[in-house]
């Protein structure tokens, strides 16, 4: 008999086992010190190494068992427990290690990050093919985040360098987060206002299809940094010529060029999907709709919007995730946003500051991506589900 | 009634419809036929104002259609196209209910009407009402398309090659069903096709077009019997006699059949003294009157009983004589059974009947 194996879970477990042999955290005497590595089993405090080892071995075993519902439920529990153990270990060990040092702090190291990756894969594996209700699935996905948030709020992560960086910059963090959201969401909003009509135009007027897509495709090929650079000179010139603009905050650097550049970037996915959305409507469907006596508005309401909207929203979804990333780069031309921490950290040689900027950027992207996925799933009419799932 | 009065449609230089005048009587099926590009679709779409004429007038029951608001006009005219155009995101029931919805019917009334129509077109409402278009076969989708066009009970139905995308067997079934449906509903139907057999089978009248003009406008038998010119003759093709058989339904010339219940067989044979007229064919039926066997009498004796499968051998009352002929010749029989909907035997049609039909008009 051939041994059947559920590969995702097996992979997660193996990565997890590997992670145990790597430095779990670095103990640093101060902000920019290099730090001394600790492996998991040499941590002075926290769950014994046998605990994660057992969880991983059990997961590995579960991967080779027939995937009955009990085994599936077991995998879900194992994945969640493993992640909780890792977070707990980090928090407990950190507290003990940092206590005697005035400026001491700990940073998670390769072993910890690999463990997080392993946990992510294990959770994915545990949800694969499992008949779990959508709401429960979402809960399983966010439970680790809630746990980590709880540790943070309870002050149990205070020994982490990232958290210390955060504590020192709390007010600024909030304002950069707001700026980041403001720039990316405004850009996506503008891109939607321009891109959807552009896509519709390209669809309705066939001779405009080439120039429209030539334009938005071309924009997409310019590296974002170059595009930001390109904005600086003309905007600086304009703001010098027209004081009104300067009063509105339009300068060569700062928000305005970032907003324009990110909007231009966000155009392609939205324009393309608006076009594809309309193209997805068979001509016979429009023809019979008109033939049955639908007015222009009824045709939109009953035919065009229900079929095209989910596809257009998928474009907005891609643009949003992309805009959040691009906004991080925009910090380079003084636009602000979470990217500011990243570049500041790079400048000061403080890796934990970089992490503090990067983590919320990733979180924002994931949050937006999932949010749109849910929205699109809700808005997709049943007959179209198989046309564009996820 | 629909009238065309000197109707012309020009597309920058191309005259798609060239000065057509016609009167289509109510309750009849009129078929527009002709080679591709001859202006059939354009003529059809002029009626519900999907296309506006360059000149001329089209009247619906005396009122020029140009005087009626386009949307309102279309809601009162059923429209069926080859690609069906069911809305892919709506269930069968919702699709059928579109025009009623546009007309402001409430949900219950729409649902009831949808079930009624599904019943009418032979799809079980319970099984079909919640299906989505992509779950239907081509034939089923086209039936739903017809039901949708009938939803608000419009007096006029426009059909543009509605069965063109369905395979030949399914197409024949659809044609038969549609014929019997319209006997009941008596809609004024304008039907576009390029398939002559279809035109002959369905049309009360055939309008043969070429280059935007009408070449011949006649009842099917006369189109086949007295073609106006070489073009018509060529369009009809060589097998005129055979095609003409499509004009007649089995119903119009079937005979009473000799029947014996299976239980009355004696040692597997009919009673020796049983006499039958006609072709000497006796149909053995089961208790539900479905043919299960046949037996021939020759020289005053019964031959062996042969098993038959009703649905393979039999024709329906609305099948054409042409179908009947192909069964007769294919099986080397002198008669085939005519079946009602439940495959019950209602008569037989004989080779001699078919010969008589053609000989009567000097065809063979
Ligand atoms: N929108 C249009 N623009 C230009 N020419 C057209 C258009 N629609 C139809 N035609 C032309 O008009 C003629 C008749 O077309 P149509 O009525 O669709 O023919 P059929 O349905 O008989 O195949 C054809 O020569 C076709 O090319
Ligand atoms: Mg056509």
């Amino acid at each position: 008999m051939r041994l059947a194996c559920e590969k995702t879970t097996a992979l997660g477990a193996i990565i997890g086992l590997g992670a145990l042999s790597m430095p779990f955290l670095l103990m640093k005497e101060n902000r920019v010190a290099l730090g001394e590595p600790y492996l998991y089993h040499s941590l002075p405090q926290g769950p014994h190494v046998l605990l994660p080892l057992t969880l991983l071995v059990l997961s590995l075993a579960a991967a080779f068992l027939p995937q009955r519902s009990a085994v599936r439920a077991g995998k879900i529990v194992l994945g969640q427990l493993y992640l909780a153990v890792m977070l707990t270990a980090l928090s407990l060990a950190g507290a003990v290690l940092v206590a005697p040092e005035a400026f001491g702090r700990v940073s998670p190291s390769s072993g910890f990050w690999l463990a997080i990756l392993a946990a992510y894969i294990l959770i994915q594996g545990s949800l694969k093919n499992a008949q779990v209700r959508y709401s429960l699935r979402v809960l399983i996905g966010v439970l680790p985040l809630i746990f980590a948030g709880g540790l943070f709020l309870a002050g149990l992560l205070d020994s982490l360098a990232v958290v210390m960086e955060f504590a020192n910059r709390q007010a600024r963090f909030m304002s950069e987060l707001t700026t980041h959201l403001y720039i990316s969401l405004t850009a996506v909003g503008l891109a939607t206002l321009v891109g959807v009509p552009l896509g519709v135009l390209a669809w309705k007027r066939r001779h405009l299809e080439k120039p429209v897509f030539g334009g938005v495709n071309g924009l997409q090929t310019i590296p974002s940094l170059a595009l930001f650079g390109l904005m600086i000179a003309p905007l600086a010139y304009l703001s010098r010529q027209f004081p009104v603009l300067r009063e509105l905050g339009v300068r060569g650097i700062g928000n305005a060029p970032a907003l324009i550049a990110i909007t231009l970037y966000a155009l392609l996915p939205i324009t393309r999907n608006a076009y594809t959305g309309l193209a997805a409507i068979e001509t016979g469907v429009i023809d019979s709709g008109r033939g049955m006596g639908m007015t222009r508005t009824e045709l939109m309401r009953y035919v065009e919007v229900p079929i095209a909207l989910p596809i257009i929203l998928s474009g907005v979804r891609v643009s949003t995730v992309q805009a959040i990333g691009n906004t991080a780069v925009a910090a380079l031309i003084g636009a602000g946003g979470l990217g500011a921490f990243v570049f500041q950290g790079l400048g000061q040689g403080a890796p934990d500051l970089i992490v503090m900027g990067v983590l919320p950027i990733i979180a924002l992207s994931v949050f937006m991506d999932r949010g749109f996925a849910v929205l699109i799933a809700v808005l997709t009419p049943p007959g179209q589900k198989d046309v564009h799932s996820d | 009634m629909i009238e065309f009065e000197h109707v012309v449609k020009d597309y920058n230089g191309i005259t798609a419809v060239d000065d057509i005048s016609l009167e289509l009587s109510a309750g009849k099926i009129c078929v527009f036929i002709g080679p591709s590009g001859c202006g059939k679709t354009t003529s059809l779409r002029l009626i519900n104002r999907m296309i506006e004429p360059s000149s001329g007038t089209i009247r619906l029951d005396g009122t020029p259609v140009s005087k009626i608001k386009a949307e309102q006009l279309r809601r009162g005219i059923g429209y069926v196209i080859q690609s069906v155009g069911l809305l892919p995101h709506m269930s069968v029931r919702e699709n059928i209910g579109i025009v009623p919805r546009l007309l402001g019917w409430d949900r219950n009334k729409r649902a009831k009407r949808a079930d009624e129509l599904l019943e009418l077109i032979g799809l079980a409402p319970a099984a079909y009402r919640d299906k989505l278009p992509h779950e239907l076969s081509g034939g089923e989708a086209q039936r739903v398309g017809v039901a949708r066009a009938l939803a608000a009970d419009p007096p006029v139905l426009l059909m543009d090659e509605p069965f063109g995308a369905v395979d030949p067997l399914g197409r024949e079934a659809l044609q038969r069903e549609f014929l019997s449906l319209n006997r009941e509903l008596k809609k004024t139907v304008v039907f576009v096709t390029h398939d002559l057999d279809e035109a002959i089978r369905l049309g009360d009248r055939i309008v043969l077009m070429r280059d935007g003009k009408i070449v011949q406008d006649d009842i099917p038998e006369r189109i086949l019997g007295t073609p106006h010119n070489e073009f018509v003759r060529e369009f009809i093709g060589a097998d005129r006699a055979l095609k003409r058989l499509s004009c007649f339904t089995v119903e119009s010339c079937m005979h009473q059949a000799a029947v014996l219940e299976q239980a009355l067989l004696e040692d597997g044979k009919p009673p020796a003294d049983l006499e039958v007229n006609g072709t000497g064919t006796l149909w053995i039926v089961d208790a539900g009157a479905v043919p299960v066997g046949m037996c021939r009498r020759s020289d005053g004796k019964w031959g062996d009983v042969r098993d038959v499968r009703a649905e393979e051998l039999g024709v329906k009352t609305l099948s054409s004589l042409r179908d009947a002929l192909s069964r007769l010749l294919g099986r080397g029989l002198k008669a085939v059974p005519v079946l009602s909907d439940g495959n019950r035997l209602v008569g037989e049609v004989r080779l001699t009947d078919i010969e008589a039909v053609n000989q009567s008009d000097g065809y063979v």
Side-chain angles (χ1 to χ4, degrees), chain A residues 285 287-288 290-291 293 298 302, chain B residues 45 74-75 79 85 89 148:
Chain A
V285 172
D287 191 55
S288 71
R290 281 208 324 127
E298 283 162 345
Y302 294 123
Chain B
R45 286 158 67 92
R74 291 176 197 152
R75 286 170 198 186
Y79 185 54
H89 56 290
R148 183 171 72 167

Side-chain angles (χ1 to χ4, degrees), chain A residues 284-285 287-288 290-296 298 301-303 306-307 381-384 386, chain B residues 45 50 71 74-75 79 81 83-90 98-99 101-102 132 134 148:
Chain A
V285 172
D287 191 55
S288 71
R290 281 208 324 127
M292 285 185 289
M294 289 190 186
T295 60
R296 204 38 253 170
E298 283 162 345
R301 173 168 160 214
Y302 294 123
V303 184
I307 299 178
Q384 302 292 96
D386 50 343
Chain B
R45 286 158 67 92
M50 295 289 277
E71 281 83 22
R74 291 176 197 152
R75 286 170 198 186
Y79 185 54
I81 55 176
S83 62
V84 196
L86 294 180
L87 304 198
H89 56 290
M90 287 188 186
I98 292 173
V99 178
R101 190 163 166 186
L102 298 176
L132 289 160
H134 71 91
R148 183 171 72 167

Side-chain angles (χ1 to χ4, degrees), chain A residues 80 236 295 389:
Chain A
Q80 297 285 328
T295 60
S389 50

Side-chain angles (χ1 to χ4, degrees), chain B residues 11-12 14-16 34-43 51 160-161 192:
Chain B
Y11 285 113
N12 4 291
I14 303 169
T15 309
S36 169
C38 70
K40 310 178 291 288
T41 297
T42 309
S43 306
I51 297 174
D160 193 347
E161 310 206 16
V192 164

